[in-house]
PDB file of all heavy atoms in Angstrom:
ATOM      1  N   LYS Y  82     263.881 124.196  48.717  1.00  0.00           N
ATOM      2  CA  LYS Y  82     265.129 124.063  47.947  1.00  0.00           C
ATOM      3  C   LYS Y  82     266.137 123.138  48.612  1.00  0.00           C
ATOM      4  O   LYS Y  82     267.362 123.329  48.511  1.00  0.00           O
ATOM      5  CB  LYS Y  82     265.767 125.443  47.672  1.00  0.00           C
ATOM      6  CG  LYS Y  82     264.825 126.458  47.052  1.00  0.00           C
ATOM      7  CD  LYS Y  82     264.190 125.953  45.784  1.00  0.00           C
ATOM      8  CE  LYS Y  82     263.257 127.007  45.206  1.00  0.00           C
ATOM      9  NZ  LYS Y  82     262.080 126.434  44.596  1.00  0.00           N
ATOM     10  N   PHE Y  83     265.628 122.135  49.304  1.00  0.00           N
ATOM     11  CA  PHE Y  83     266.434 121.120  49.960  1.00  0.00           C
ATOM     12  C   PHE Y  83     267.029 120.191  48.887  1.00  0.00           C
ATOM     13  O   PHE Y  83     266.389 119.891  47.901  1.00  0.00           O
ATOM     14  CB  PHE Y  83     265.543 120.307  50.916  1.00  0.00           C
ATOM     15  CG  PHE Y  83     266.166 119.074  51.452  1.00  0.00           C
ATOM     16  CD1 PHE Y  83     267.183 119.133  52.401  1.00  0.00           C
ATOM     17  CD2 PHE Y  83     265.699 117.837  51.068  1.00  0.00           C
ATOM     18  CE1 PHE Y  83     267.732 117.976  52.923  1.00  0.00           C
ATOM     19  CE2 PHE Y  83     266.243 116.662  51.580  1.00  0.00           C
ATOM     20  CZ  PHE Y  83     267.269 116.746  52.505  1.00  0.00           C
ATOM     21  N   ARG Y  84     268.265 119.756  49.092  1.00  0.00           N
ATOM     22  CA  ARG Y  84     268.914 118.860  48.143  1.00  0.00           C
ATOM     23  C   ARG Y  84     269.131 117.518  48.812  1.00  0.00           C
ATOM     24  O   ARG Y  84     270.097 117.382  49.619  1.00  0.00           O
ATOM     25  CB  ARG Y  84     270.204 119.433  47.646  1.00  0.00           C
ATOM     26  CG  ARG Y  84     270.018 120.684  46.796  1.00  0.00           C
ATOM     27  CD  ARG Y  84     271.293 121.207  46.237  1.00  0.00           C
ATOM     28  NE  ARG Y  84     272.054 120.151  45.542  1.00  0.00           N
ATOM     29  CZ  ARG Y  84     272.131 120.013  44.236  1.00  0.00           C
ATOM     30  NH1 ARG Y  84     271.549 120.887  43.443  1.00  0.00           N
ATOM     31  NH2 ARG Y  84     272.841 119.041  43.708  1.00  0.00           N
ATOM     32  N   PRO Y  85     268.273 116.535  48.542  1.00  0.00           N
ATOM     33  CA  PRO Y  85     268.479 115.229  49.181  1.00  0.00           C
ATOM     34  C   PRO Y  85     269.758 114.560  48.670  1.00  0.00           C
ATOM     35  O   PRO Y  85     270.147 114.727  47.526  1.00  0.00           O
ATOM     36  CB  PRO Y  85     267.243 114.436  48.753  1.00  0.00           C
ATOM     37  CG  PRO Y  85     266.728 115.134  47.537  1.00  0.00           C
ATOM     38  CD  PRO Y  85     267.139 116.563  47.653  1.00  0.00           C
ATOM     39  N   ASP Y  86     270.395 113.816  49.571  1.00  0.00           N
ATOM     40  CA  ASP Y  86     271.573 113.072  49.124  1.00  0.00           C
ATOM     41  C   ASP Y  86     271.129 111.665  48.710  1.00  0.00           C
ATOM     42  O   ASP Y  86     269.949 111.342  48.724  1.00  0.00           O
ATOM     43  CB  ASP Y  86     272.659 113.049  50.217  1.00  0.00           C
ATOM     44  CG  ASP Y  86     272.233 112.331  51.495  1.00  0.00           C
ATOM     45  OD1 ASP Y  86     271.291 111.489  51.477  1.00  0.00           O
ATOM     46  OD2 ASP Y  86     272.846 112.598  52.550  1.00  0.00           O
ATOM     47  N   ARG Y  87     272.080 110.871  48.291  1.00  0.00           N
ATOM     48  CA  ARG Y  87     271.755 109.538  47.776  1.00  0.00           C
ATOM     49  C   ARG Y  87     271.073 108.671  48.823  1.00  0.00           C
ATOM     50  O   ARG Y  87     270.238 107.847  48.486  1.00  0.00           O
ATOM     51  CB  ARG Y  87     272.979 108.854  47.200  1.00  0.00           C
ATOM     52  CG  ARG Y  87     274.022 108.526  48.211  1.00  0.00           C
ATOM     53  CD  ARG Y  87     275.214 107.837  47.620  1.00  0.00           C
ATOM     54  NE  ARG Y  87     276.224 107.700  48.665  1.00  0.00           N
ATOM     55  CZ  ARG Y  87     277.423 107.329  48.472  1.00  0.00           C
ATOM     56  NH1 ARG Y  87     277.836 107.055  47.249  1.00  0.00           N
ATOM     57  NH2 ARG Y  87     278.257 107.227  49.479  1.00  0.00           N
ATOM     58  N   PHE Y  88     271.426 108.864  50.084  1.00  0.00           N
ATOM     59  CA  PHE Y  88     270.794 108.046  51.123  1.00  0.00           C
ATOM     60  C   PHE Y  88     269.345 108.460  51.359  1.00  0.00           C
ATOM     61  O   PHE Y  88     268.500 107.594  51.630  1.00  0.00           O
ATOM     62  CB  PHE Y  88     271.611 108.141  52.428  1.00  0.00           C
ATOM     63  CG  PHE Y  88     273.025 107.650  52.232  1.00  0.00           C
ATOM     64  CD1 PHE Y  88     274.082 108.522  52.247  1.00  0.00           C
ATOM     65  CD2 PHE Y  88     273.262 106.296  52.020  1.00  0.00           C
ATOM     66  CE1 PHE Y  88     275.386 108.075  52.058  1.00  0.00           C
ATOM     67  CE2 PHE Y  88     274.550 105.845  51.818  1.00  0.00           C
ATOM     68  CZ  PHE Y  88     275.623 106.714  51.815  1.00  0.00           C
ATOM     69  N   ASP Y  89     269.058 109.745  51.239  1.00  0.00           N
ATOM     70  CA  ASP Y  89     267.657 110.200  51.283  1.00  0.00           C
ATOM     71  C   ASP Y  89     266.868 109.541  50.145  1.00  0.00           C
ATOM     72  O   ASP Y  89     265.762 109.035  50.353  1.00  0.00           O
ATOM     73  CB  ASP Y  89     267.574 111.720  51.108  1.00  0.00           C
ATOM     74  CG  ASP Y  89     268.180 112.511  52.232  1.00  0.00           C
ATOM     75  OD1 ASP Y  89     268.048 112.072  53.408  1.00  0.00           O
ATOM     76  OD2 ASP Y  89     268.786 113.544  51.969  1.00  0.00           O
ATOM     77  N   LEU Y  90     267.445 109.543  48.964  1.00  0.00           N
ATOM     78  CA  LEU Y  90     266.753 108.994  47.785  1.00  0.00           C
ATOM     79  C   LEU Y  90     266.581 107.480  47.876  1.00  0.00           C
ATOM     80  O   LEU Y  90     265.522 106.944  47.542  1.00  0.00           O
ATOM     81  CB  LEU Y  90     267.499 109.375  46.504  1.00  0.00           C
ATOM     82  CG  LEU Y  90     267.584 110.889  46.259  1.00  0.00           C
ATOM     83  CD1 LEU Y  90     268.462 111.168  45.037  1.00  0.00           C
ATOM     84  CD2 LEU Y  90     266.203 111.501  46.082  1.00  0.00           C
ATOM     85  N   ILE Y  91     267.602 106.802  48.346  1.00  0.00           N
ATOM     86  CA  ILE Y  91     267.504 105.338  48.533  1.00  0.00           C
ATOM     87  C   ILE Y  91     266.450 105.012  49.570  1.00  0.00           C
ATOM     88  O   ILE Y  91     265.600 104.124  49.402  1.00  0.00           O
ATOM     89  CB  ILE Y  91     268.885 104.730  48.893  1.00  0.00           C
ATOM     90  CG1 ILE Y  91     269.839 104.820  47.730  1.00  0.00           C
ATOM     91  CG2 ILE Y  91     268.726 103.296  49.385  1.00  0.00           C
ATOM     92  CD1 ILE Y  91     271.310 104.541  48.103  1.00  0.00           C
ATOM     93  N   GLY Y  92     266.489 105.734  50.667  1.00  0.00           N
ATOM     94  CA  GLY Y  92     265.468 105.506  51.723  1.00  0.00           C
ATOM     95  C   GLY Y  92     264.058 105.755  51.232  1.00  0.00           C
ATOM     96  O   GLY Y  92     263.153 104.953  51.510  1.00  0.00           O
ATOM     97  N   ALA Y  93     263.848 106.821  50.485  1.00  0.00           N
ATOM     98  CA  ALA Y  93     262.536 107.126  49.934  1.00  0.00           C
ATOM     99  C   ALA Y  93     262.094 106.030  48.959  1.00  0.00           C
ATOM    100  O   ALA Y  93     260.918 105.639  48.956  1.00  0.00           O
ATOM    101  CB  ALA Y  93     262.553 108.498  49.259  1.00  0.00           C
ATOM    102  N   ALA Y  94     263.001 105.551  48.130  1.00  0.00           N
ATOM    103  CA  ALA Y  94     262.663 104.484  47.181  1.00  0.00           C
ATOM    104  C   ALA Y  94     262.238 103.222  47.915  1.00  0.00           C
ATOM    105  O   ALA Y  94     261.271 102.547  47.516  1.00  0.00           O
ATOM    106  CB  ALA Y  94     263.837 104.219  46.245  1.00  0.00           C
ATOM    107  N   ILE Y  95     262.932 102.900  48.995  1.00  0.00           N
ATOM    108  CA  ILE Y  95     262.557 101.736  49.792  1.00  0.00           C
ATOM    109  C   ILE Y  95     261.143 101.921  50.352  1.00  0.00           C
ATOM    110  O   ILE Y  95     260.331 100.997  50.332  1.00  0.00           O
ATOM    111  CB  ILE Y  95     263.588 101.482  50.912  1.00  0.00           C
ATOM    112  CG1 ILE Y  95     264.910 101.022  50.306  1.00  0.00           C
ATOM    113  CG2 ILE Y  95     263.049 100.478  51.943  1.00  0.00           C
ATOM    114  CD1 ILE Y  95     266.071 101.036  51.278  1.00  0.00           C
ATOM    115  N   CYS Y  96     260.872 103.115  50.838  1.00  0.00           N
ATOM    116  CA  CYS Y  96     259.541 103.403  51.407  1.00  0.00           C
ATOM    117  C   CYS Y  96     258.453 103.275  50.340  1.00  0.00           C
ATOM    118  O   CYS Y  96     257.382 102.710  50.591  1.00  0.00           O
ATOM    119  CB  CYS Y  96     259.519 104.790  52.022  1.00  0.00           C
ATOM    120  SG  CYS Y  96     260.506 104.906  53.539  1.00  0.00           S
ATOM    121  N   VAL Y  97     258.707 103.799  49.145  1.00  0.00           N
ATOM    122  CA  VAL Y  97     257.728 103.729  48.059  1.00  0.00           C
ATOM    123  C   VAL Y  97     257.518 102.271  47.659  1.00  0.00           C
ATOM    124  O   VAL Y  97     256.375 101.858  47.394  1.00  0.00           O
ATOM    125  CB  VAL Y  97     258.129 104.619  46.887  1.00  0.00           C
ATOM    126  CG1 VAL Y  97     257.256 104.362  45.657  1.00  0.00           C
ATOM    127  CG2 VAL Y  97     258.060 106.092  47.283  1.00  0.00           C
ATOM    128  N   LEU Y  98     258.557 101.500  47.618  1.00  0.00           N
ATOM    129  CA  LEU Y  98     258.431 100.054  47.343  1.00  0.00           C
ATOM    130  C   LEU Y  98     257.541  99.399  48.392  1.00  0.00           C
ATOM    131  O   LEU Y  98     256.677  98.576  48.073  1.00  0.00           O
ATOM    132  CB  LEU Y  98     259.803  99.375  47.287  1.00  0.00           C
ATOM    133  CG  LEU Y  98     259.770  97.879  47.026  1.00  0.00           C
ATOM    134  CD1 LEU Y  98     259.106  97.552  45.698  1.00  0.00           C
ATOM    135  CD2 LEU Y  98     261.179  97.315  47.080  1.00  0.00           C
ATOM    136  N   GLY Y  99     257.716  99.797  49.638  1.00  0.00           N
ATOM    137  CA  GLY Y  99     256.874  99.298  50.718  1.00  0.00           C
ATOM    138  C   GLY Y  99     255.405  99.633  50.489  1.00  0.00           C
ATOM    139  O   GLY Y  99     254.508  98.806  50.727  1.00  0.00           O
ATOM    140  N   VAL Y 100     255.137 100.829  50.010  1.00  0.00           N
ATOM    141  CA  VAL Y 100     253.752 101.249  49.717  1.00  0.00           C
ATOM    142  C   VAL Y 100     253.161 100.315  48.655  1.00  0.00           C
ATOM    143  O   VAL Y 100     252.023  99.824  48.806  1.00  0.00           O
ATOM    144  CB  VAL Y 100     253.695 102.700  49.212  1.00  0.00           C
ATOM    145  CG1 VAL Y 100     252.307 103.064  48.709  1.00  0.00           C
ATOM    146  CG2 VAL Y 100     254.140 103.662  50.308  1.00  0.00           C
ATOM    147  N   VAL Y 101     253.921 100.078  47.615  1.00  0.00           N
ATOM    148  CA  VAL Y 101     253.418  99.222  46.523  1.00  0.00           C
ATOM    149  C   VAL Y 101     253.125  97.819  47.053  1.00  0.00           C
ATOM    150  O   VAL Y 101     252.071  97.237  46.739  1.00  0.00           O
ATOM    151  CB  VAL Y 101     254.451  99.203  45.375  1.00  0.00           C
ATOM    152  CG1 VAL Y 101     254.081  98.154  44.332  1.00  0.00           C
ATOM    153  CG2 VAL Y 101     254.564 100.588  44.735  1.00  0.00           C
ATOM    154  N   VAL Y 102     254.028  97.260  47.836  1.00  0.00           N
ATOM    155  CA  VAL Y 102     253.805  95.925  48.378  1.00  0.00           C
ATOM    156  C   VAL Y 102     252.583  95.887  49.291  1.00  0.00           C
ATOM    157  O   VAL Y 102     251.711  95.013  49.170  1.00  0.00           O
ATOM    158  CB  VAL Y 102     255.056  95.413  49.131  1.00  0.00           C
ATOM    159  CG1 VAL Y 102     254.802  94.117  49.852  1.00  0.00           C
ATOM    160  CG2 VAL Y 102     256.215  95.241  48.135  1.00  0.00           C
ATOM    161  N   ILE Y 103     252.502  96.838  50.203  1.00  0.00           N
ATOM    162  CA  ILE Y 103     251.405  96.838  51.167  1.00  0.00           C
ATOM    163  C   ILE Y 103     250.064  97.037  50.500  1.00  0.00           C
ATOM    164  O   ILE Y 103     249.104  96.335  50.776  1.00  0.00           O
ATOM    165  CB  ILE Y 103     251.611  97.935  52.259  1.00  0.00           C
ATOM    166  CG1 ILE Y 103     252.786  97.544  53.161  1.00  0.00           C
ATOM    167  CG2 ILE Y 103     250.361  98.136  53.088  1.00  0.00           C
ATOM    168  CD1 ILE Y 103     253.251  98.676  54.076  1.00  0.00           C
ATOM    169  N   MET Y 104     249.979  97.994  49.594  1.00  0.00           N
ATOM    170  CA  MET Y 104     248.680  98.374  49.018  1.00  0.00           C
ATOM    171  C   MET Y 104     248.261  97.563  47.800  1.00  0.00           C
ATOM    172  O   MET Y 104     247.086  97.311  47.593  1.00  0.00           O
ATOM    173  CB  MET Y 104     248.704  99.867  48.652  1.00  0.00           C
ATOM    174  CG  MET Y 104     248.662 100.791  49.818  1.00  0.00           C
ATOM    175  SD  MET Y 104     247.178 100.600  50.845  1.00  0.00           S
ATOM    176  CE  MET Y 104     245.868 101.039  49.669  1.00  0.00           C
ATOM    177  N   TYR Y 105     249.222  97.204  46.957  1.00  0.00           N
ATOM    178  CA  TYR Y 105     248.829  96.721  45.648  1.00  0.00           C
ATOM    179  C   TYR Y 105     249.276  95.286  45.311  1.00  0.00           C
ATOM    180  O   TYR Y 105     249.071  94.834  44.194  1.00  0.00           O
ATOM    181  CB  TYR Y 105     249.330  97.704  44.577  1.00  0.00           C
ATOM    182  CG  TYR Y 105     248.942  99.132  44.931  1.00  0.00           C
ATOM    183  CD1 TYR Y 105     249.916 100.096  45.158  1.00  0.00           C
ATOM    184  CD2 TYR Y 105     247.602  99.492  45.050  1.00  0.00           C
ATOM    185  CE1 TYR Y 105     249.560 101.406  45.484  1.00  0.00           C
ATOM    186  CE2 TYR Y 105     247.248 100.801  45.380  1.00  0.00           C
ATOM    187  CZ  TYR Y 105     248.229 101.728  45.603  1.00  0.00           C
ATOM    188  OH  TYR Y 105     247.862 103.013  45.961  1.00  0.00           O
ATOM    189  N   ALA Y 106     249.850  94.593  46.291  1.00  0.00           N
ATOM    190  CA  ALA Y 106     250.196  93.198  46.047  1.00  0.00           C
ATOM    191  C   ALA Y 106     248.904  92.387  45.883  1.00  0.00           C
ATOM    192  O   ALA Y 106     247.894  92.664  46.562  1.00  0.00           O
ATOM    193  CB  ALA Y 106     250.995  92.660  47.242  1.00  0.00           C
ATOM    194  N   PRO Y 107     248.919  91.396  44.998  1.00  0.00           N
ATOM    195  CA  PRO Y 107     247.708  90.617  44.821  1.00  0.00           C
ATOM    196  C   PRO Y 107     247.394  89.806  46.082  1.00  0.00           C
ATOM    197  O   PRO Y 107     248.287  89.196  46.672  1.00  0.00           O
ATOM    198  CB  PRO Y 107     248.052  89.695  43.637  1.00  0.00           C
ATOM    199  CG  PRO Y 107     249.519  89.742  43.483  1.00  0.00           C
ATOM    200  CD  PRO Y 107     250.004  90.998  44.138  1.00  0.00           C
ATOM    201  N   ARG Y 108     246.165  89.876  46.485  1.00  0.00           N
ATOM    202  CA  ARG Y 108     245.723  89.118  47.655  1.00  0.00           C
ATOM    203  C   ARG Y 108     244.614  88.170  47.197  1.00  0.00           C
ATOM    204  O   ARG Y 108     243.837  88.525  46.316  1.00  0.00           O
ATOM    205  CB  ARG Y 108     245.223  90.068  48.736  1.00  0.00           C
ATOM    206  CG  ARG Y 108     246.353  90.884  49.341  1.00  0.00           C
ATOM    207  CD  ARG Y 108     245.882  91.689  50.539  1.00  0.00           C
ATOM    208  NE  ARG Y 108     246.984  92.156  51.320  1.00  0.00           N
ATOM    209  CZ  ARG Y 108     247.704  93.238  51.044  1.00  0.00           C
ATOM    210  NH1 ARG Y 108     247.419  93.973  49.996  1.00  0.00           N
ATOM    211  NH2 ARG Y 108     248.701  93.594  51.836  1.00  0.00           N
TER     212      ARG Y 108
END
Side-chain angles (χ1 to χ4, degrees):
K82 308 305 181 218
F83 169 71
R84 293 184 52 104
D86 63 22
R87 66 180 174 190
F88 300 109
D89 294 322
L90 298 174
I91 292 167
I95 291 168
C96 291
V97 169
L98 179 60
V100 172
V101 171
V102 171
I103 290 169
M104 287 299 297
Y105 310 118
R108 292 188 164 82

